[in-house]
Every structure is written in C-alpha cells, then in structure tokens.
C-alpha cells in the first residue's frame, strides 16, 4: 500500500536551526518513568518511535543541576560528565533510524522539593508554589535568587547544553514553562524583583533571553536551541502593545530560538483526558504563536487522525505535529500513515493510565499498547512478534479486551485461532463502558483489534456462542484460553476496609445492572469504594436521566484514585456542575429500602443516614471463572483430549482495569508455546 497524497505534507522535512527534521512527526519531551536509572529501558522506548517514523524524538525533563531534584519522581539528569553516557545510549538508538534526538534541559526552581539532594530550592523572589499532589508538596519554602545565583544558573544551562552536545543530541531545549526555571521570572506574581530581572516585561524576559543566547553561543553551530513555553497564564495578562503578555514575549524573542514548543502550564490541562476533551484541545494555547515568529512551532493535542494533523499544518497553527500519548499508544503511527495503513493505527483512547504510571514512578504503561515499557526488559516489539506453529490450534473463550488482544497477538503469530463469544457483540466490558458519558473513545480498544482480526484468515470469530466445558472439550484444540471476565458484586466493606459480604435487599444495583439498562428509582445513592471512573460516570449518566444522585465513599474525594491519572479536578468540577451530592469518609452499613445508613471511617459510633430510593454498589468485582474451574477440575479429561495447556487471562484471572486485561492477553499469546503462559518468562532486571 502507498501513502495517500493528502498526507504528503506531513512527510516534508522541516529545518530547525542547524539541523533538519526528516518529517513533521515530533515526539515531544515527556517523562517515561525511567529517569537515568533505566537507560536501556528508556533508550528502547524511544528507539521504537524513531523506528516507527517519528522524525524527532525527545527525552523527558532533564535536570541541569542538583538544585533541581524531583525525587522520587523519575526525571533524568545531566549534572556532570558521568551522566553523558546514559543519554548517548538513547541518542544512538534514535539516530539508528534517521530521526533527530532532543533533550529538554530543565531547572525546577520552586517546582521541586529537592528531597534527595537537600539543596534549598530557589526561585526569582523566594515565592513558593503550593502543590496539591503529594509528590510535589514541599515542606520547605524556596529562597530568593541573588545576582550570583542567576549567573550560576546561566552557567549550569551552558554546561548542561555542552554535555547534551557531547551525548550527540541535535535539539537542546530550554524549558521555560509549566512553573519551571525562567518561567518563574516571567510571571509577575512569582517575580517581585526590583533589579534588571524584575518589573517590566522586558526585565522579566531578560533571563530567558540570556539563557537562549548563552546556549546558542555555546552549541548553536551544531545543535538547534528550542524553547518550551507555557502560554495560558500569560495569555490572560493584557499586553502594552499586543493582545497579551504571551504575545509580547513571543514577539520579543521571536527568532532567537530555533523552535517554539508551546502548551498550557498546568499538567492536568496539558494531559486532559478524553473524558473531558477532544483531539486538538491545546489549540487555544498555541495558535497565536505562528504569526509572531518565522521559526517552526510545535504543539500537542492528542492527535491520532492524519486529517486533523494536516489541518493543523494547512491552517497555519503548527509546523510540527507534537505528540506524547499518541506515540505511547502507537510508536508506529507515522509509518502506518506513510504506508497507507491509517486504519491500523492503534489510537490513544485518552485514559491517562500512562500518566498514572509516571506518578507511580515506574516505566509508562499503556491501555492500548501492552508492549510499552517492555521493549528492552522483555524484548517486546510493538509491531513484531515471533512466529508460532500454524498447525497449532488455540481456542479463546470470551472477546473482551483480554480475549481480543490475545486472539490478535496469536493471529499475528500465525496460530490457528478460534474465538467464541457468548454475546452478540465483541468487546466485552469495553463495548458496555464506552457508552458511559465521556468514554466513547474507549471503544478504540475493541475497534483496533477487531479491524485487524477480521481480515486474518487464521482467526475465526463466533458470536452468540456461550461455551460449556463439554463444548470446549469437544472442540479438540491444542491450547485453551479462558477470558470470560468478571462481575461487579454487592459486597460492602467492614470497618477494617475488608469485604463484609453482600448487602441484601431490593433496589440494590451493581454497575453491571446499570450498564445492562436497569433504571433505578431516585434518589440514588452510589456507594463507591472502587475509586476509579465507574462511580462518577454512573453518577453522570443517572443525572442525565433526571435522577437525584449522591456519592458516598470512604475516600476523601470522588473517584479518589484519579489523582494519579490527572482526572480528579475535572471529575470534581463535573460532579459539582451536575449537582451530584458527595459524602466523604463514610462506610455504608445498611440500606432499608428508603435510606442508607453510614458510619464515619474514623469513629464507627458516629452514624448517620440519608434517604434514597435505590443503592448502587461500586466496589468489588468477582471473577467469572466457572468455566475455567470446571475444566481445570478434570485434569485427566483435559490430558485425554489432547489439550496441552489451559489458561485464564484478564478479569477472569484477576479483575483489574482494561490495561491489565490487554496486557494479560498479550502476555499469554507471547508465551503460549513457552510452557508457562501465565508467569513471565525470564526478563531483564532494571538496567544498571
Ligand atoms: P476482560 O476484560 O477480561 O476481557 P470482559 O468482561 O470484558 O473481560 O469480557 C469477557 C467476555 O467473555 C464477555 O464478552 C462475555 O460475554 C464473554 N463470555 C463469558 N462467558 C463466556 C462463555 N462461557 N463462552 C463464551 N464467552 C463468554
Ligand atoms: Fe493513550 Fe491511555 Fe495509552 Fe496513555 S495509556 S497513551 S492515554 S491509551
């Protein structure tokens, strides 16, 4: 297949100062959860993007000095010459595929707590920023920088830039955004200085200008100097000549850097999930830049559609299509467009599980791409998979995300695969949950897999086929994979937060009931101790249907876990806009058909109740493994019928999120002929 000429513009080279990007696909700086501790993992994660056609591949935030220490979060660093080697590993990996490598030099100022190095954080005027995420909450306030500190900061940038050049980087960033480094000098509420670095906008911009010029002088002959700039806060400040201070800053510095990378300053806005935004959501923050500079402009927007990418270029918004999450979900996105295989793109669903992995301080994981983070450790490639024996047959029972991913990977390996699904539709929980408000894009988990499976001659799918143990045995295949999912239960918690058994009574529902179309009588109480999306999504759905809704939870927030994937603030706002009531830090102890009873999680004798017509329990799921257990209980029969292995995967093995199910299906398919498909085969330890 060949490329659609409509997309030719995406494959034009773009000059960036002294270097040239081979195309307009630009993997922007973003943390991968590896830091300097896992250089091989990081290099392999970046390398697959270069191989997959991204013309520029950047590191995540890279500290220039120990006074910028984000521990325990995984950041990378170029503090001295000893740090060069680990970066060179990634640069060489990216260069092997003809892409440019970039590094985002970063000084956190008051945005870091310096827990590891114990150096007092410093910033323009010693003003602190009060973070609400625990890993960024600092118990020490920063000190104000004097002129000597500013001289030192400039020197650190130059030293780090020289090291970046030694490592082989083609593009070296100054990170002047997101509350970091010189950005703190730009903001009038952060910069109260009375010297030449404070006061007028000219003065506040001085440090940014000086650092760009310093770096250009030091390495500008060979490396492009890029600036990453956050615009949203400055767009709100009226300018003296132009519309806003953001406009004036860009026009003052216009052509001094070789590239502008522009975005919003709040990381929860920059990574807003698909539940609360559409593709291209960053346009209000970057579309003003293009007319103010002759240098290329890059921006993100969770772009997965080549038509939208072309539109960004043709409308003069961006010169380079920046991406973070779309590169995670499909490192081969550009190559698929180039080869006319757009329908094979594994589109990001905007769920932000990748974001939560970074907060967990582990290599980034992805719902759509199970190989993410395993490229080096397990040698899993996002597009290639070792061939299997075509004469070997595998029966997969259940076509949810686990069964579909398993069938797809087995099909790619060349096995003879049969999928039996009880219902009349593919996708299992994904198909049901994607009908919840804001989750339509989650259906991409199903669609990516079914689109590919349907054209595979070695994979057959049978819908409306609920299999019994006898059916499985009669089928006479070599391997059996059970992917029959899980069910929500009515279990509630005891005061130690352990399961206390089912709550009995009428008008009590689970999410499965609501997803199947049950219409509870209001007012409705949702008792949520699952803490992810389900409780708040059901609240939204029921409000749309006109019900009064109150969420009761033992946590201190609605969907409390979503602090980890950056959705918490948006969920809280949505609940408040919808008028959903919230009662925090309470266990539910009973429901008598007209009211629920609750007790404080701190003081069990502190009891209360609220009236309601129905109760929905969003808590514990239970495996639907009846078929697996039946088959397993008759080991002799299994052996007699020639079945060599029996596995269970996904929610039927252990209920989890969709990312777990996809990963489990993939792992099983990779290892099915390795003797033990369940436990990981030997894998490399973290790198160094
Ligand atoms: P997972 O997330 O692990 O993929 P899901 O609940 O999404 O789990 O999917 C499980 C699928 O298995 C559902 O589509 C369900 O209809 C199907 N299923 C359950 N029991 C059987 C069975 N006995 N035979 C065939 N399909 C089944
Ligand atoms: Fe996209 Fe979700 Fe994968 Fe992140 S985890 S890249 S948001 S699909």
């Amino acid at each position: 297949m060949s490329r659609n000429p409509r997309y030719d513009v995406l494959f034009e080279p773009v000059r960036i100062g002294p270097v040239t990007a081979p195309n307009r696909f630009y993997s922007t700086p973003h943390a991968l959860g590896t830091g300097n501790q896992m250089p091989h993992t990081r290099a392999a994660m970046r390398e697959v993007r270069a191989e997959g056609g991204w013309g520029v591949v950047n590191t995540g935030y890279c500290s220039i000095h120990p006074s910028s220490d984000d521990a325990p979060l995984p950041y990378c660093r170029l503090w001295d010459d000893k740090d060069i080697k680990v970066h060179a590993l990634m640069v060489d990996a990216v260069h092997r595929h003809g892409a440019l490598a970039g590094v985002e030099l970063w000084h956190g100022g008051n945005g870091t707590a310096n827990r590891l190095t114990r150096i007092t954080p410093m910033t323009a005027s010693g003003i602190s920023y009060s973070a609400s995420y625990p890993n960024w909450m600092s118990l020490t306030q920063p000190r104000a920088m004097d002129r000597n500190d500013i001289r030192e900061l400039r020197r650190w940038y130059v030293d780090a830039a020289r090291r970046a050049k030694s490592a082989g980087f083609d593009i070296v960033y100054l990170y002047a955004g997101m509350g970091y480094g010189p950005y703190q000098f730009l903001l009038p509420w952060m910069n109260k200085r009375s010297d030449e670095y404070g006061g007028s906008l000219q003065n506040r911009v001085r440090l940014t200008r000086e650092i760009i010029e310093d770096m250009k002088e030091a390495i500008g002959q060979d490396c492009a100097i890029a600036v990453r700039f956050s615009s949203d806060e400055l767009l709100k400040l009226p300018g003296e000549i132009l519309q806003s201070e953001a406009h004036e800053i860009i026009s003052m510095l216009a052509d001094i850097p070789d590239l502008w990378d522009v975005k919003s300053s709040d990381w929860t806005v920059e990574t807003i999930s698909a539940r609360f935004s559409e593709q291209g959501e960053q346009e209000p923050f970057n579309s003003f830049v293009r007319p103010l500079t002759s240098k290329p402009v890059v921006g993100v927007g969770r772009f997965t559609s080549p038509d939208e990418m072309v539109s960004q270029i043709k409308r003069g918004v961006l010169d380079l299509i920046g991406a973070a999450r779309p590169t995670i979900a499909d490192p081969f996105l550009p190559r698929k467009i180039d080869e006319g295989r757009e329908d094979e793109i594994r589109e990001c669903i905007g769920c932000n599980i990748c974001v939560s992995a970074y907060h967990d301080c582990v290599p980034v994981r992805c719902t759509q791409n199970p190989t993410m983070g395993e490229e080096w450790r397990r040698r899993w490639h996002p597009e290639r998979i070792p061939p299997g024996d075509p004469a070997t047959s595998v029966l997969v029972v259940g076509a949810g995300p686990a069964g579909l991913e398993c069938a797809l990977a087995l099909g790619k390996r060349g096995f003879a695969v049969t999928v039996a699904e009880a219902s009349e539709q593919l996708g299992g929980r994904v198909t049901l949950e994607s009908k919840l408000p804001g989750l339509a894009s989650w259906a991409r988990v199903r669609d990516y897999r079914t689109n590919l499976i349907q054209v595979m001659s070695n994979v057959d799918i049978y819908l409306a086929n609920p299999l019994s143990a006898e059916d499985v045995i009669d089928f006479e295949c070599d391997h059996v994979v059970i992917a029959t999912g899980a069910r929500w239960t009515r279990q509630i918690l005891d005061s130690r937060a352990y399961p206390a058994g089912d709550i009995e009574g009428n008008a009590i529902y689970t999410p499965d009931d609501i997803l199947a179309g049950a219409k509870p009588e209001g007012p409705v109480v949702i008792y949520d101790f699952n803490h992810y999306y389900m409780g708040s999504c059901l609240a939204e759905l029921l409000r749309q249907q006109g019900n009064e809704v109150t969420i009761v939870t033992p946590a201190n927030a609605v969907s409390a876990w979503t602090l980890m994937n950056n959705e918490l603030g948006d969920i809280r706002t949505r609940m408040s806009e919808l008028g959903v009531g919230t009662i925090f830090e309470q266990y539910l102890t009973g429901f008598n058909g007209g009211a629920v009873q609750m007790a404080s999680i701190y003081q069990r004798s502190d009891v209360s109740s609220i009236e309601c017509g129905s109760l929905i329990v969003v808590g514990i799921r239970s495996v639907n493994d009846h078929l697996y257990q039946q088959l397993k209980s008759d080991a002799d029969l299994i052996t007699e019928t020639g079945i060599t292995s029996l596995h269970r995967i996904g929610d039927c093995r252990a209920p989890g999120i969709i990312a777990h199910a996809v990963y489990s299906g993939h792992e099983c398919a990779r290892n099915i002929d390795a003797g033990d498909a369940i436990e990981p085969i030997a894998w490399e330890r973290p790198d160094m």
Side-chain angles (χ1 to χ4, degrees):
M1 277 186 282
S2 57
R3 187 205 298 164
N4 183 332
R6 201 163 72 232
Y7 305 137
D8 284 352
V9 66
L10 300 173
F11 293 87
E12 291 168 354
V14 179
R15 182 111 195 126
I16 310 174
V19 297
T20 301
N23 58 40
R24 296 183 190 268
F25 294 94
Y26 192 101
S27 169
T28 47
H30 74 89
L32 278 179
T34 53
N36 273 34
Q37 289 76 18
M38 298 186 194
H40 291 97
T41 302
R42 185 178 56 164
M45 284 163 114
R46 304 284 186 200
E47 178 169 9
V48 290
R49 294 171 192 196
E51 187 190 354
W54 297 89
V56 178
V57 179
N58 282 282
T59 63
Y61 63 150
C62 179
S63 172
I64 59 168
H65 188 264
S67 58
S68 177
D69 151 39
D70 218 12
L73 288 157
Y75 60 99
C76 54
R77 54 168 206 262
L78 264 171
W79 289 350
D80 57 30
D81 289 357
K82 280 185 276 182
D83 285 336
I84 294 173
K85 203 171 126 204
V86 298
H87 289 278
L89 200 66
M90 172 218 146
V91 171
D92 292 347
V94 166
H95 282 171
R96 271 199 284 281
H97 303 279
L100 300 180
V103 58
E104 183 184 44
L105 296 187
W106 160 78
H107 192 279
N110 68 355
T112 56
N114 298 348
R115 290 183 177 89
L116 181 68
T117 61
R118 304 182 76 174
I119 295 174
T120 305
M122 55 183 186
T123 186
S125 303
I127 293 171
S128 54
Y129 165 70
S130 179
S132 55
Y133 177 70
N135 273 350
W136 281 296
M137 284 179 193
S138 177
L139 303 182
T140 176
Q141 289 187 212
R143 67 177 177 82
M145 293 169 76
D146 60 23
R147 283 208 175 85
N148 189 47
D149 293 323
I150 291 176
R151 269 195 300 277
E152 284 295 278
L153 183 70
R154 288 175 60 183
R155 185 173 67 78
W156 299 336
Y157 273 107
V158 169
D159 289 350
R162 289 209 171 97
R163 289 182 201 116
K165 186 184 151 200
S166 302
F169 284 110
D170 310 286
I171 301 175
V172 179
Y173 268 73
L174 167 64
Y175 198 172
M178 221 176 173
Y180 293 134
Y183 185 68
Q184 296 168 0
F185 281 72
L186 297 176
L187 302 176
W189 54 90
M190 293 284 297
N191 182 346
K192 303 286 183 194
R193 300 178 71 95
S194 54
D195 63 4
E196 68 274 28
Y197 289 98
S200 69
L201 188 58
Q202 289 278 357
N203 281 355
R204 282 183 275 132
V205 171
R206 188 180 308 277
L207 179 61
T208 304
R209 178 198 292 271
E210 285 175 348
I211 297 171
I212 303 168
E213 287 171 346
D214 292 345
M215 295 207 308
K216 284 202 90 159
E217 196 185 323
I219 60 163
Q221 293 289 320
D222 304 299
C223 303
I225 305 300
V227 173
R228 191 166 230 203
F229 176 70
S230 293
S231 63
D232 51 337
E233 294 170 298
L234 291 153
L235 279 168
K236 289 184 197 139
L237 299 180
E240 280 182 18
I241 313 158
L242 299 174
Q243 211 174 321
S244 75
E245 289 206 349
H247 289 75
E248 291 191 353
I249 292 168
I250 301 279
S251 67
M252 276 179 207
L253 300 175
D255 291 347
I256 305 180
D258 298 310
L259 174 134
W260 284 100
D261 179 341
V262 184
K263 62 185 188 116
S264 57
S265 61
D266 183 335
W267 146 245
T268 64
V269 175
E270 187 199 358
T271 60
I272 189 166
S273 72
R275 185 172 167 191
F276 299 101
S277 71
E278 297 294 331
Q279 183 172 202
E281 86 291 335
Q282 286 278 315
E283 196 170 320
F285 309 124
N286 57 35
S287 56
F288 72 99
V289 181
R290 188 83 287 283
L292 301 172
T293 173
S294 69
K295 298 303 169 89
V297 178
V298 62
V300 293
R302 207 162 31 80
F303 299 116
T304 54
S305 150
D307 291 312
E308 179 55 35
M309 295 175 194
V310 170
S311 160
Q312 291 280 326
I313 309 287
K314 295 249 158 105
R315 287 187 293 117
V317 181
L318 301 175
D319 300 292
L320 292 148
I321 301 300
R325 286 171 290 180
T327 66
I328 295 172
D330 195 344
F332 274 60
L333 182 150
R335 205 192 270 192
K336 288 175 184 174
I337 299 172
D338 195 21
E339 294 170 0
R341 298 188 289 128
E342 305 77 78
D343 53 349
E344 293 180 28
I345 293 173
R346 195 166 44 235
E347 287 185 280
C348 166
I349 68 166
C351 62
N352 283 4
I353 286 302
C354 48
V355 171
S356 76
Y358 161 70
H359 285 151
D360 281 335
C361 307
V362 295
V364 162
R365 283 86 174 76
C366 173
T367 300
Q368 275 283 57
N369 177 7
T371 65
M372 185 69 196
E374 305 294 350
E375 300 85 348
W376 182 78
R377 188 170 72 161
R378 295 196 186 167
R379 307 290 193 258
W380 286 3
H381 189 274
E383 296 297 313
R384 289 190 295 276
I385 189 162
D389 175 6
T392 299
S393 57
V394 187
L395 172 65
V396 179
V397 187
L404 286 177
E405 173 60 26
C406 191
L408 173 63
L410 288 167
K412 282 186 178 174
R413 295 195 61 194
F415 292 112
V417 185
T418 304
V419 182
E421 164 56 46
S423 72
E424 293 191 351
Q425 53 190 10
L426 296 170
R429 64 183 288 192
V430 161
T431 297
L432 296 170
E433 292 176 14
S434 62
K435 298 198 173 71
L436 287 169
L439 302 191
S441 64
W442 290 24
R444 292 172 176 180
V445 173
R446 174 199 62 207
D447 296 342
Y448 161 71
R449 289 168 177 84
T450 51
N451 285 346
L452 290 177
I453 287 172
Q454 271 157 11
V455 294
M456 284 179 163
S457 57
N458 57 330
V459 184
D460 293 322
I461 298 183
Y462 296 94
L463 289 173
N465 251 282
L467 296 195
S468 63
E470 293 72 38
D471 295 331
V472 172
I473 284 164
D474 288 348
F475 193 75
E476 292 183 2
C477 59
D478 297 312
H479 301 279
V480 176
V481 179
I482 307 293
T484 46
R487 301 282 301 166
W488 291 91
T489 71
R490 290 171 164 210
Q491 293 204 66
I492 57 171
L493 298 178
D494 67 17
S495 57
R496 297 160 307 175
Y498 284 103
D502 283 1
I503 180 165
E504 301 296 341
N506 297 324
I508 300 175
Y509 300 87
T510 69
D512 290 321
D513 299 326
I514 308 300
L515 290 168
K519 295 272 182 294
E521 194 179 313
V524 179
V525 163
I526 296 176
Y527 178 43
D528 180 11
F529 56 96
N530 170 263
H531 304 309
Y532 191 15
Y533 55 93
M534 186 56 78
S536 57
C537 277
L538 290 181
E540 198 168 340
L541 177 74
L542 294 168
R543 282 299 291 142
Q544 285 173 1
Q545 292 171 358
N547 281 293
E548 260 183 62
V549 182
T550 301
I551 296 179
V552 175
T553 176
N556 57 9
V558 171
S559 298
W561 180 85
T562 59
L563 180 72
M564 301 301 284
N565 75 340
N566 283 357
E567 285 189 304
L568 186 71
D570 291 313
I571 292 175
R572 183 167 284 200
T573 307
R574 179 68 56 86
M575 293 302 106
S576 139
E577 284 165 357
L578 291 171
V580 173
T582 50
I583 299 179
F584 299 139
E585 300 175 337
Q586 298 286 316
Y587 287 124
L588 189 122
T589 53
F591 174 58
N592 62 12
V596 292
Q597 291 78 49
M598 301 167 290
S600 158
I601 62 165
Y602 301 115
Q603 188 59 265
R604 203 67 184 175
S605 58
D606 182 3
V607 295
S608 57
S609 71
I610 53 165
E611 289 182 8
C612 65
S614 311
L615 168 67
I616 304 174
V617 181
V618 184
I620 295 168
R621 292 160 76 218
S622 157
V623 291
N624 184 18
D625 69 345
H626 182 66
L627 178 59
Y628 173 81
Q629 296 299 352
Q630 260 191 313
L631 289 165
K632 196 172 168 237
S633 65
D634 203 341
D636 291 343
L637 187 60
I638 291 274
T639 320
E640 279 164 28
T641 50
I643 295 174
T644 23
S645 71
L646 168 68
H647 310 282
R648 63 182 159 161
I649 58 169
D651 289 314
C652 138
R653 183 167 180 236
I657 58 173
I658 296 166
H660 294 140
V662 170
Y663 181 83
S664 155
H666 191 84
E667 183 183 52
C668 180
R670 290 240 176 203
N671 299 344
I672 202 151
D673 45 357
D676 180 358
I678 297 304
E679 296 310 326
I681 51 171
W683 47 275
E684 305 278 358
R685 298 286 168 81
D687 304 15
M688 282 189 159

